Amino acid sequence: MKDDELRFGTSGLRGLSRLLNGRPAAAYAQAFAHVMIAQGRAERGRRFLVGRDLRTSSPGIARFCFAGLLEAGVEPVDCGELPTPALAARAMKLGVPAIMVTGSHIPADRNGLKFYRPDGEIDKHDEAAIADAERAAELLENVAPANAESDHGVAVDEYRARAIGTLAPDALKGMRIGIYQHSSVTRDLLVDVLSALGADVVPFGRSDVFVPIDTEALSATDAAICGTAVREHRLDAVVSADADGDRPMIGNETGRLLRGDVIGALTASDMGAGSVVTPVTSNTGIERSGRFARVIRTRVGSPYVIEGMDIASAGGASTVVGFEANGGVLLGSDVFLAGRRIAALPTRDAMLPILAVLNMSKRAGAKISEVEAALKFNASKSGCIKDADFHMSAAFIREMAADGLFVSDMFRDVIEVSMINTTDGLQIIGKDGCIVHFRISGNAAELRCYTEANSDDRASFLLDEGLARARKYLGMT
């Protein structure tokens, strides 16, 4: 993503907040309303919900969204600061569309918009229609921010009740759980929910300054903060979520942070999912585990996972769960956890997998590290090259995808190439089953690299070498 543009990424519209905060926010909100009306999913005069995360730019962008919705002839409703899945669940319950102002995990100088139809998150066809409608928007350049009817607290209360009702009362009694609060909009909800379920909670790390937590590429600083908290407070686990509460973070009893695909697989397994849908970046141990009757692989991004869940449901699957390597879990159907029915929620949710993994540990009388080890996943690592030029990154992937000899030559002392997968970016698969996977981030100016191998050392080596070779090609050595 270039700094001078707003565009749809893996989940919603993203870009620099200074570019979004003004007419563009109003125009995209107006365009979304026009698309919903054209599709018969909304009517003029009907309500549209708007929520936001804790970024300093989010309130202002929300007010421009109100203005755009008013221009479209619909009624904006201000739901305040709340997790994205709470807003989505409220919109589905009311049968109305919604907009979430959030940049998720990306840096504080960026922000974005996530759009929800009355039946859940929009798909890629909707994104294209919104982009087309935005280009045709006729808002005046001097459009002013507006206010909206307030509905603060209702969606959060419903989401809290949904989470607490997921497990039996006192299901987590006896567990001592740290909550890394930073600047996540879920920071107080996690305290409420885990306390209500009987856990002894220890909040820490609360910040008044925005902290960009990327659950798919957790920093050494995040890991150190969580590890220190586990040791100092003698915790059984540490949990958190990204800025808008749709992607979880879970650390075990040693403070080591679990990968998102591990979290997703454990959650889906505990729910008895017959079919799971997950991107190609998730660990290949999902298939090898034998826990799921069907595994559908997709491109990275919740719209693709949702499309896969629809395919699974259309094929007759009764229990469908989607998840991504960043840990967000999506429910494509009603599911059961600990004997309790949980309603479908086809958008990423951080709270559910946190509850599922903690519940698995408590119910089994096992440490979280032991629950994780039972999956027998290969070691996985991930990292990225920040501020990578989009066109150079695209050329790097394109050239490797077109020329297997080029790949084999570039990685000749690293991996013996068996095959190449171009489902999303370029995935190099070795004869020993190891993987080096490159893809361009849809959310920021980054070239991401994911690796998989039969040991941590081998996975780390592949990551270091993959990033080094990519940097050399990009001229960033």
Side-chain angles (χ1 to χ4, degrees):
M1 176 181 290
K2 295 184 293 184
D3 279 352
D4 62 350
E5 67 179 359
L6 299 168
R7 68 181 180 91
F8 283 98
T10 54
S11 180
L13 184 79
R14 300 285 171 85
L16 290 169
S17 56
R18 62 177 175 78
L19 299 181
L20 181 60
N21 195 359
R23 181 193 179 281
Y28 274 104
Q30 182 193 50
F32 174 55
H34 286 325
V35 169
M36 290 296 96
I37 292 169
Q39 292 180 354
R41 301 179 188 274
E43 299 175 356
R44 295 188 185 280
R46 291 293 304 276
R47 306 171 87 199
F48 273 59
L49 308 185
V50 180
R52 60 184 183 273
D53 66 14
L54 299 179
R55 294 168 188 262
T56 56
S57 62
S58 292
I61 292 171
R63 293 187 66 208
F64 277 103
C65 287
F66 300 156
L69 294 173
L70 288 169
E71 288 282 342
V74 298
E75 180 184 352
V77 177
D78 181 10
C79 292
E81 298 167 346
L82 78 172
T84 293
L87 181 71
R90 176 68 173 163
M92 290 180 64
K93 178 180 179 179
L94 297 178
V96 300
I99 301 173
M100 180 71 180
V101 181
T102 180
S104 187
H105 64 281
I106 58 179
D109 64 338
R110 299 173 183 271
N111 214 324
L113 303 176
K114 292 182 179 180
F115 300 96
Y116 289 84
R117 304 183 314 213
D119 61 339
E121 191 171 335
I122 64 171
D123 59 27
K124 287 296 178 181
H125 300 292
D126 296 323
E127 287 182 357
I130 293 167
D132 289 343
E134 187 276 333
R135 285 190 287 271
E138 296 180 353
L139 283 173
L140 297 175
E141 290 295 328
N142 61 351
V143 62
N147 295 318
E149 169 195 344
S150 176
D151 192 27
H152 289 203
V154 178
V156 173
D157 289 344
E158 292 177 350
Y159 184 67
R160 182 188 294 107
R162 172 188 170 95
I164 293 172
T166 296
L167 301 178
D170 291 332
L172 304 181
K173 187 174 182 178
M175 297 192 80
R176 187 168 171 83
I177 311 298
I179 299 175
Y180 180 27
Q181 293 194 300
H182 60 93
S183 55
S184 173
V185 76
T186 62
R187 57 191 182 184
D188 295 322
L189 268 171
L190 281 168
V191 173
D192 293 345
V193 171
L194 298 185
S195 297
L197 291 170
D200 178 14
V201 302
V202 180
F204 66 93
R206 191 180 185 95
S207 174
D208 293 329
V209 177
F210 183 78
V211 180
I213 298 290
D214 184 353
T215 60
E216 195 171 12
L218 291 163
S219 71
T221 300
D222 299 328
I225 289 172
C226 293
T228 298
V230 166
R231 291 187 295 273
E232 287 185 354
H233 300 288
R234 299 180 182 179
L235 304 174
D236 296 306
V238 59
V239 302
S240 188
D242 66 343
D244 66 320
D246 70 347
R247 294 164 41 163
M249 187 189 81
I250 302 176
N252 67 17
E253 72 283 354
T254 71
R256 190 179 64 80
L257 302 174
L258 277 63
R259 280 183 52 86
D261 48 8
V262 169
I263 295 170
L266 289 174
T267 303
S269 176
D270 203 36
M271 293 175 178
S275 296
V276 299
V277 182
T278 193
V280 292
T281 50
S282 292
N283 200 286
T284 57
I286 294 165
E287 284 87 351
R288 291 194 308 274
S289 72
R291 299 189 183 201
F292 313 108
R294 185 183 185 190
V295 178
I296 297 175
R297 294 283 183 161
T298 72
R299 295 180 63 184
V300 173
S302 51
Y304 297 113
V305 175
I306 291 169
E307 183 179 272
M309 292 195 301
D310 290 341
I311 291 171
S313 296
S318 58
T319 306
V320 183
V321 175
F323 59 88
E324 299 183 85
N326 55 39
V329 173
L330 307 88
L331 299 185
S333 62
D334 290 357
V335 299
F336 285 89
L337 180 63
R340 293 166 178 259
R341 181 183 292 274
I342 307 169
L345 184 58
T347 193
R348 292 184 303 204
D349 183 5
M351 185 71 75
L352 180 61
I354 287 172
L355 295 175
V357 172
L358 294 177
N359 180 62
M360 287 183 76
S361 172
K362 180 66 165 54
R363 191 180 67 245
K367 296 177 180 179
I368 289 178
S369 61
E370 296 170 339
V371 172
E372 176 188 9
L375 282 176
K376 298 181 179 179
F377 274 17
N378 281 344
S380 298
K381 302 292 180 181
S382 61
C384 68
I385 300 173
K386 295 185 180 297
D387 299 319
D389 179 83
F390 174 84
H391 297 292
M392 288 294 293
S393 296
F396 172 66
I397 290 176
R398 187 169 55 249
E399 186 169 353
M400 288 199 297
D403 190 346
L405 291 177
F406 174 71
V407 175
S408 295
D409 182 61
M410 176 175 280
F411 290 90
R412 64 183 179 275
D413 55 342
V414 175
I415 184 172
E416 191 175 359
V417 179
S418 171
M419 63 180 293
I420 291 173
N421 180 351
T422 57
T423 299
D424 192 342
L426 183 113
Q427 189 179 63
I428 306 166
I429 303 170
K431 290 184 178 180
D432 62 351
C434 65
I435 292 173
V436 178
H437 186 171
F438 297 98
R439 59 176 290 274
I440 300 170
S441 172
N443 299 320
E446 297 174 349
L447 178 64
R448 291 187 176 270
C449 181
Y450 314 83
T451 65
E452 184 177 325
N454 58 10
S455 72
D456 274 339
D457 286 346
R458 174 69 171 157
S460 294
F461 169 76
L462 292 174
L463 179 62
D464 291 343
E465 292 297 321
L467 291 172
R469 282 158 171 75
R471 286 193 183 95
K472 183 176 180 179
Y473 184 98
L474 299 175
M476 299 178 69
T477 55

